[in-house]
Each structure stands twice: as structure tokens, then as C-alpha cells.
Amino acid sequence: MKLIPLISALMLSSLSIASASAHQAHSGGIKAKQQTDVIAPFDIIHAKISTEGNTAIFHIAVSENAGTSKPTKTGKLAGSRAFAYVWPTNIDSFEVGFEHQAGILALAVATHPDFDDTPLFDENRDGKTDNDGNIWHSHWVVLQPNEQCGKGALGVVDIPKGSKPRLPKTWPGFPILLDSPGWQPTINGETVEVRIPFDDIGVVNSAQFDGVTAGLRINVDVHAPLFCVVDVFDIASGDLSLPGKVNQ
């Protein structure tokens, strides 16, 4: 066999394998159409949750360049912004350390250059734990509709002053239902993934979910509502109906 045809055949074979792998990665879950009015890093084309043993894999794929768009730094907490890839679920918030049915439990992979809410972790490995909010990291958040955030908008549930709700051990100290468990996301090309171990994987196997890309903002007065969803860039289902079923 001549060299050039052999090289061409090998290249075609490699492309076929890559295409098959990409197709497999985006199989099942919620498939969404590309949106011309959404920037590529937040334009969801696929959202999925699957499990391997006692580990849940949260997956979102976008048109391209996942994780490349971040908020502009303002130098202050008040009014600062965050961007996030979010998986809203119907899992009971109690399963990750909050009170029973405290709201919509969602996993979020977020970045925000003006504050750090992962005080137990040093994501940029510089010996400091209070200066790496700009690095993509994971949170559990509990959301509820909050008209103070805007008509039909969601907000992270505030903790009223003086109350002592059940909270996860890795709660970062903010007066909201937010957890910083330290599960490191993997962002590569068009995909965002987080692998999370569960004591009882059954609560995930029976769950439903959706996929969202969004912008959040800290209240300019830094009080309740403290953290609001102010921009929804894209929703995998189109209507936040949580149609996704785990492992399907």
C-alpha cells in the first residue's frame, strides 16, 4: 500500500472514532438546538446526569469554548456578578445537608472574580484560600422564586438573621443556602463536567433535572435577597420543566 493512501485512511479512521466518541458523549439526556442569540460558551446543546457506582456525573455541552467567558471584575462585592453552568434537580435538599424541601436543589459550576466563597479550598494553589473565586468551582445552591430579584426570577434562598437552619459542613458562611463542597469541575472544549460521590446514589438515580446557563448578581445593598439570578442565557429544556431523567 502506498504511503499517502495509508495516511489518508488512518486520518479518516481517527476522525470517525472522534465523531463516534463525541456522539456517545452527547447521547441521552436533554438535547437542545443551537441558539443564534446566545454566545457559544453558554449555548447549551446537551445536558445529562449519569451515574457510575456511587458517583454522579453532571454534564453540560455548549456550542464551543466552554468556560471562556467570565464576568468583568469590579473590585467590590456589592453589585458584583457571577456566571454559572447549572443543573436544577428535584433532589431533596436534605440529601446534601440542608433542610428537607428547602427549595430547588441545583448544582452550579460558577466563577466570580470579586469574591471567594470556597474558604476551605485553594483552587489556584498559591497558599491562599480567599482569592480564587475567578476559577471555575462547584456549589450546591437552593433556589426559590423571588420577585425581589425580578419578575419570575429565582434567587438563592436567604438565611434570615437569627435563624439556624440545617447546613452542610462545607457551608462557606454566607447567609444563603449555598454549599462549597470542593468537587472540582472539568472544563474541556465544549463540555463542563463534575463528578460527585453520594452515600446513597439512589437519590440521584431517581431524580429529574434540567440544564441552565445563567448570570447572577450580589445585591447592591448586600442584604436579602443577597444573590439573585438576573440573566438566564439558555435552558436545555426551554422551559425549566426538568424533563431529564438520570441514566436515560
Side-chain angles (χ1 to χ4, degrees), residues 103-140:
I104 302 167
L105 180 69
L107 180 72
V109 170
T111 179
H112 36 72
D114 289 298
F115 61 97
D116 189 304
D117 53 9
T118 58
L120 299 178
F121 305 99
D122 180 14
E123 287 92 344
N124 61 9
R125 300 180 182 178
D126 67 349
K128 301 176 182 179
T129 59
D130 61 354
N131 66 347
D132 40 24
N134 64 315
I135 294 176
W136 292 97
H137 55 278
S138 64
H139 291 294
W140 286 115

CSV table of all heavy atoms in Angstrom, one decimal, residues 103-140:
chain,number,residue,atom,x,y,z
A,103,GLY,N,-36.2,24.1,48.8
A,103,GLY,CA,-36.3,24.8,47.5
A,103,GLY,C,-35.8,23.9,46.4
A,103,GLY,O,-35.7,22.7,46.6
A,104,ILE,N,-35.4,24.5,45.3
A,104,ILE,CA,-34.9,23.7,44.2
A,104,ILE,C,-33.4,23.5,44.4
A,104,ILE,O,-32.6,24.5,44.4
A,104,ILE,CB,-35.1,24.5,42.8
A,104,ILE,CG1,-36.6,24.8,42.6
A,104,ILE,CG2,-34.6,23.7,41.7
A,104,ILE,CD1,-36.9,25.8,41.5
A,105,LEU,N,-33.0,22.3,44.5
A,105,LEU,CA,-31.6,22.0,44.7
A,105,LEU,C,-30.9,21.9,43.4
A,105,LEU,O,-31.4,21.2,42.5
A,105,LEU,CB,-31.4,20.6,45.4
A,105,LEU,CG,-29.9,20.2,45.7
A,105,LEU,CD1,-29.3,21.2,46.7
A,105,LEU,CD2,-29.8,18.8,46.1
A,106,ALA,N,-29.9,22.7,43.2
A,106,ALA,CA,-29.2,22.8,41.9
A,106,ALA,C,-27.7,22.7,42.2
A,106,ALA,O,-27.1,23.2,43.1
A,106,ALA,CB,-29.5,24.1,41.2
A,107,LEU,N,-27.0,22.0,41.3
A,107,LEU,CA,-25.5,22.0,41.2
A,107,LEU,C,-25.1,23.1,40.3
A,107,LEU,O,-25.7,23.3,39.2
A,107,LEU,CB,-25.0,20.7,40.7
A,107,LEU,CG,-23.4,20.6,40.7
A,107,LEU,CD1,-22.8,20.6,42.1
A,107,LEU,CD2,-23.0,19.5,39.8
A,108,ALA,N,-24.2,23.9,40.7
A,108,ALA,CA,-23.7,25.0,39.9
A,108,ALA,C,-22.2,25.0,39.8
A,108,ALA,O,-21.5,24.8,40.8
A,108,ALA,CB,-24.2,26.4,40.5
A,109,VAL,N,-21.7,25.2,38.6
A,109,VAL,CA,-20.3,25.5,38.4
A,109,VAL,C,-20.1,26.9,38.0
A,109,VAL,O,-20.7,27.4,37.0
A,109,VAL,CB,-19.7,24.6,37.2
A,109,VAL,CG1,-18.3,25.0,36.8
A,109,VAL,CG2,-19.7,23.1,37.6
A,110,ALA,N,-19.5,27.7,38.9
A,110,ALA,CA,-19.5,29.1,38.9
A,110,ALA,C,-18.2,29.8,38.9
A,110,ALA,O,-17.1,29.2,39.3
A,110,ALA,CB,-20.3,29.7,40.1
A,111,THR,N,-18.1,31.1,38.4
A,111,THR,CA,-17.0,31.9,38.5
A,111,THR,C,-17.4,33.3,38.8
A,111,THR,O,-18.4,33.8,38.3
A,111,THR,CB,-16.1,31.9,37.2
A,111,THR,OG1,-15.0,32.7,37.3
A,111,THR,CG2,-17.0,32.3,36.0
A,112,HIS,N,-16.7,34.0,39.7
A,112,HIS,CA,-17.0,35.4,40.1
A,112,HIS,C,-15.7,36.0,40.6
A,112,HIS,O,-15.2,35.6,41.7
A,112,HIS,CB,-18.1,35.4,41.1
A,112,HIS,CG,-18.1,34.3,42.1
A,112,HIS,ND1,-17.1,34.2,43.1
A,112,HIS,CD2,-18.8,33.2,42.2
A,112,HIS,CE1,-17.3,33.1,43.8
A,112,HIS,NE2,-18.4,32.4,43.3
A,113,PRO,N,-15.1,37.0,39.9
A,113,PRO,CA,-13.8,37.5,40.2
A,113,PRO,C,-13.7,38.4,41.5
A,113,PRO,O,-12.6,38.7,42.0
A,113,PRO,CB,-13.4,38.3,39.0
A,113,PRO,CG,-14.7,38.7,38.4
A,113,PRO,CD,-15.6,37.5,38.6
A,114,ASP,N,-14.9,38.8,42.0
A,114,ASP,CA,-14.9,39.8,43.0
A,114,ASP,C,-15.0,39.3,44.5
A,114,ASP,O,-15.0,40.0,45.4
A,114,ASP,CB,-16.0,40.9,42.8
A,114,ASP,CG,-15.6,41.8,41.6
A,114,ASP,OD1,-14.6,42.5,41.7
A,114,ASP,OD2,-16.4,41.7,40.6
A,115,PHE,N,-15.3,38.0,44.6
A,115,PHE,CA,-15.3,37.4,45.9
A,115,PHE,C,-15.0,35.9,45.9
A,115,PHE,O,-15.1,35.3,44.8
A,115,PHE,CB,-16.7,37.7,46.6
A,115,PHE,CG,-17.9,37.0,45.8
A,115,PHE,CD1,-18.4,35.8,46.2
A,115,PHE,CD2,-18.5,37.7,44.7
A,115,PHE,CE1,-19.5,35.3,45.5
A,115,PHE,CE2,-19.5,37.2,44.0
A,115,PHE,CZ,-20.1,35.9,44.5
A,116,ASP,N,-14.7,35.4,47.0
A,116,ASP,CA,-14.3,34.0,47.1
A,116,ASP,C,-15.3,33.3,48.1
A,116,ASP,O,-15.4,33.8,49.3
A,116,ASP,CB,-12.9,33.8,47.6
A,116,ASP,CG,-12.4,32.4,47.5
A,116,ASP,OD1,-13.0,31.5,48.1
A,116,ASP,OD2,-11.4,32.1,46.9
A,117,ASP,N,-16.0,32.3,47.7
A,117,ASP,CA,-16.9,31.6,48.6
A,117,ASP,C,-16.6,30.1,48.8
A,117,ASP,O,-17.5,29.3,49.0
A,117,ASP,CB,-18.4,31.8,48.1
A,117,ASP,CG,-18.5,31.4,46.7
A,117,ASP,OD1,-17.6,30.8,46.1
A,117,ASP,OD2,-19.6,31.6,46.1
A,118,THR,N,-15.3,29.8,48.6
A,118,THR,CA,-14.8,28.4,48.9
A,118,THR,C,-13.7,28.5,49.9
A,118,THR,O,-12.5,28.2,49.6
A,118,THR,CB,-14.3,27.8,47.6
A,118,THR,OG1,-13.3,28.5,47.0
A,118,THR,CG2,-15.5,27.6,46.6
A,119,PRO,N,-14.0,28.9,51.1
A,119,PRO,CA,-12.9,29.2,52.1
A,119,PRO,C,-12.1,28.0,52.5
A,119,PRO,O,-11.0,28.2,53.1
A,119,PRO,CB,-13.7,29.8,53.3
A,119,PRO,CG,-15.0,29.2,53.2
A,119,PRO,CD,-15.3,29.1,51.7
A,120,LEU,N,-12.5,26.8,52.2
A,120,LEU,CA,-11.8,25.6,52.6
A,120,LEU,C,-10.8,25.1,51.5
A,120,LEU,O,-10.0,24.2,51.8
A,120,LEU,CB,-12.8,24.5,53.0
A,120,LEU,CG,-13.7,24.7,54.1
A,120,LEU,CD1,-14.7,23.5,54.3
A,120,LEU,CD2,-13.0,25.0,55.4
A,121,PHE,N,-10.9,25.8,50.4
A,121,PHE,CA,-10.1,25.3,49.2
A,121,PHE,C,-9.3,26.3,48.6
A,121,PHE,O,-9.7,27.5,48.5
A,121,PHE,CB,-11.1,24.6,48.2
A,121,PHE,CG,-12.0,23.6,48.8
A,121,PHE,CD1,-13.3,23.9,49.2
A,121,PHE,CD2,-11.5,22.3,49.1
A,121,PHE,CE1,-14.1,22.9,49.7
A,121,PHE,CE2,-12.3,21.3,49.7
A,121,PHE,CZ,-13.6,21.7,50.0
A,122,ASP,N,-8.1,25.9,48.1
A,122,ASP,CA,-7.1,26.8,47.4
A,122,ASP,C,-7.0,26.4,46.0
A,122,ASP,O,-6.1,25.7,45.6
A,122,ASP,CB,-5.8,26.7,48.1
A,122,ASP,CG,-4.7,27.6,47.5
A,122,ASP,OD1,-5.1,28.5,46.7
A,122,ASP,OD2,-3.5,27.3,47.8
A,123,GLU,N,-8.0,26.9,45.2
A,123,GLU,CA,-8.1,26.4,43.8
A,123,GLU,C,-6.9,26.8,42.9
A,123,GLU,O,-6.5,26.0,42.0
A,123,GLU,CB,-9.4,26.9,43.1
A,123,GLU,CG,-10.7,26.2,43.6
A,123,GLU,CD,-11.3,26.9,44.8
A,123,GLU,OE1,-10.7,27.8,45.4
A,123,GLU,OE2,-12.5,26.6,45.1
A,124,ASN,N,-6.3,28.0,43.2
A,124,ASN,CA,-5.2,28.4,42.4
A,124,ASN,C,-3.8,28.0,43.0
A,124,ASN,O,-2.8,28.3,42.4
A,124,ASN,CB,-5.2,29.9,42.1
A,124,ASN,CG,-5.1,30.7,43.3
A,124,ASN,OD1,-4.9,30.2,44.4
A,124,ASN,ND2,-5.4,32.0,43.2
A,125,ARG,N,-3.9,27.3,44.1
A,125,ARG,CA,-2.7,26.7,44.7
A,125,ARG,C,-1.6,27.7,45.0
A,125,ARG,O,-0.4,27.4,44.8
A,125,ARG,CB,-2.1,25.5,43.9
A,125,ARG,CG,-3.2,24.4,43.7
A,125,ARG,CD,-2.6,23.3,42.8
A,125,ARG,NE,-3.6,22.3,42.6
A,125,ARG,CZ,-3.4,21.2,41.9
A,125,ARG,NH1,-2.3,21.0,41.3
A,125,ARG,NH2,-4.4,20.3,41.8
A,126,ASP,N,-2.0,28.9,45.5
A,126,ASP,CA,-1.0,29.9,45.8
A,126,ASP,C,-0.8,30.1,47.3
A,126,ASP,O,-0.2,31.0,47.8
A,126,ASP,CB,-1.4,31.2,45.2
A,126,ASP,CG,-2.6,31.9,45.8
A,126,ASP,OD1,-3.3,31.1,46.6
A,126,ASP,OD2,-2.9,33.0,45.5
A,127,GLY,N,-1.4,29.1,48.1
A,127,GLY,CA,-1.2,29.2,49.5
A,127,GLY,C,-2.3,30.0,50.2
A,127,GLY,O,-2.3,30.1,51.4
A,128,LYS,N,-3.2,30.6,49.4
A,128,LYS,CA,-4.3,31.5,50.0
A,128,LYS,C,-5.6,30.8,49.6
A,128,LYS,O,-5.8,30.3,48.5
A,128,LYS,CB,-4.2,32.9,49.5
A,128,LYS,CG,-2.9,33.6,49.8
A,128,LYS,CD,-2.8,35.0,49.2
A,128,LYS,CE,-1.5,35.7,49.5
A,128,LYS,NZ,-1.4,37.0,48.8
A,129,THR,N,-6.6,30.9,50.5
A,129,THR,CA,-7.9,30.4,50.2
A,129,THR,C,-9.0,31.4,49.9
A,129,THR,O,-10.2,31.1,49.8
A,129,THR,CB,-8.4,29.4,51.3
A,129,THR,OG1,-8.4,30.2,52.5
A,129,THR,CG2,-7.4,28.3,51.5
A,130,ASP,N,-8.6,32.7,49.8
A,130,ASP,CA,-9.6,33.7,49.7
A,130,ASP,C,-9.4,34.6,48.5
A,130,ASP,O,-9.9,35.7,48.4
A,130,ASP,CB,-9.5,34.6,51.0
A,130,ASP,CG,-8.2,35.3,51.1
A,130,ASP,OD1,-7.2,35.0,50.4
A,130,ASP,OD2,-8.1,36.2,52.1
A,131,ASN,N,-8.8,34.1,47.5
A,131,ASN,CA,-8.5,34.9,46.3
A,131,ASN,C,-8.7,34.2,45.0
A,131,ASN,O,-8.1,34.6,43.9
A,131,ASN,CB,-7.1,35.5,46.3
A,131,ASN,CG,-6.0,34.4,46.2
A,131,ASN,OD1,-6.3,33.2,46.3
A,131,ASN,ND2,-4.8,34.8,46.0
A,132,ASP,N,-9.5,33.1,45.0
A,132,ASP,CA,-9.6,32.3,43.7
A,132,ASP,C,-11.1,32.1,43.3
A,132,ASP,O,-11.4,31.1,42.7
A,132,ASP,CB,-8.9,31.0,43.9
A,132,ASP,CG,-9.1,30.4,45.2
A,132,ASP,OD1,-10.1,30.7,45.9
A,132,ASP,OD2,-8.2,29.6,45.6
A,133,GLY,N,-11.9,33.1,43.5
A,133,GLY,CA,-13.3,33.0,43.1
A,133,GLY,C,-13.5,33.0,41.6
A,133,GLY,O,-14.5,32.6,41.0
A,134,ASN,N,-12.4,33.5,40.9
A,134,ASN,CA,-12.5,33.6,39.4
A,134,ASN,C,-12.2,32.3,38.8
A,134,ASN,O,-12.5,32.2,37.6
A,134,ASN,CB,-11.4,34.7,38.9
A,134,ASN,CG,-10.0,34.2,39.2
A,134,ASN,OD1,-9.7,33.8,40.4
A,134,ASN,ND2,-9.1,34.4,38.3
A,135,ILE,N,-11.8,31.3,39.5
A,135,ILE,CA,-11.6,30.0,39.0
A,135,ILE,C,-12.9,29.2,39.0
A,135,ILE,O,-13.6,29.2,40.1
A,135,ILE,CB,-10.4,29.2,39.7
A,135,ILE,CG1,-9.1,30.0,39.5
A,135,ILE,CG2,-10.3,27.8,39.3
A,135,ILE,CD1,-7.9,29.4,40.2
A,136,TRP,N,-13.2,28.5,38.0
A,136,TRP,CA,-14.5,27.8,38.0
A,136,TRP,C,-14.5,26.7,39.1
A,136,TRP,O,-13.5,26.0,39.3
A,136,TRP,CB,-14.7,27.1,36.6
A,136,TRP,CG,-14.9,28.0,35.5
A,136,TRP,CD1,-14.0,28.5,34.6
A,136,TRP,CD2,-16.2,28.6,35.1
A,136,TRP,NE1,-14.6,29.3,33.7
A,136,TRP,CE2,-15.9,29.4,34.0
A,136,TRP,CE3,-17.5,28.5,35.7
A,136,TRP,CZ2,-17.0,30.2,33.4
A,136,TRP,CZ3,-18.5,29.3,35.0
A,136,TRP,CH2,-18.2,30.1,33.9
A,137,HIS,N,-15.6,26.7,39.9
A,137,HIS,CA,-15.7,25.8,41.0
A,137,HIS,C,-17.1,25.4,41.2
A,137,HIS,O,-18.0,26.0,40.6
A,137,HIS,CB,-15.1,26.5,42.3
A,137,HIS,CG,-15.8,27.8,42.6
A,137,HIS,ND1,-15.4,29.0,41.9
A,137,HIS,CD2,-16.8,28.2,43.4
A,137,HIS,CE1,-16.2,30.0,42.3
A,137,HIS,NE2,-17.1,29.5,43.2
A,138,SER,N,-17.4,24.4,42.1
A,138,SER,CA,-18.7,23.9,42.2
A,138,SER,C,-19.4,24.3,43.5
A,138,SER,O,-18.8,24.6,44.5
A,138,SER,CB,-18.7,22.4,42.1
A,138,SER,OG,-18.0,21.8,43.2
A,139,HIS,N,-20.7,24.4,43.4
A,139,HIS,CA,-21.6,24.7,44.6
A,139,HIS,C,-22.9,23.9,44.5
A,139,HIS,O,-23.4,23.6,43.4
A,139,HIS,CB,-22.0,26.2,44.6
A,139,HIS,CG,-21.0,27.2,44.8
A,139,HIS,ND1,-20.3,27.3,46.0
A,139,HIS,CD2,-20.5,28.1,44.0
A,139,HIS,CE1,-19.5,28.3,46.0
A,139,HIS,NE2,-19.5,28.8,44.8
A,140,TRP,N,-23.4,23.6,45.7
A,140,TRP,CA,-24.8,23.2,45.8
A,140,TRP,C,-25.5,24.5,46.1
A,140,TRP,O,-25.1,25.3,47.0
A,140,TRP,CB,-25.1,22.2,46.8
A,140,TRP,CG,-24.7,20.8,46.5
A,140,TRP,CD1,-23.7,20.1,47.1
A,140,TRP,CD2,-25.3,20.0,45.5
A,140,TRP,NE1,-23.6,18.8,46.6
A,140,TRP,CE2,-24.6,18.7,45.6
A,140,TRP,CE3,-26.3,20.1,44.6
A,140,TRP,CZ2,-24.9,17.7,44.7
A,140,TRP,CZ3,-26.6,19.1,43.7
A,140,TRP,CH2,-25.9,17.8,43.8
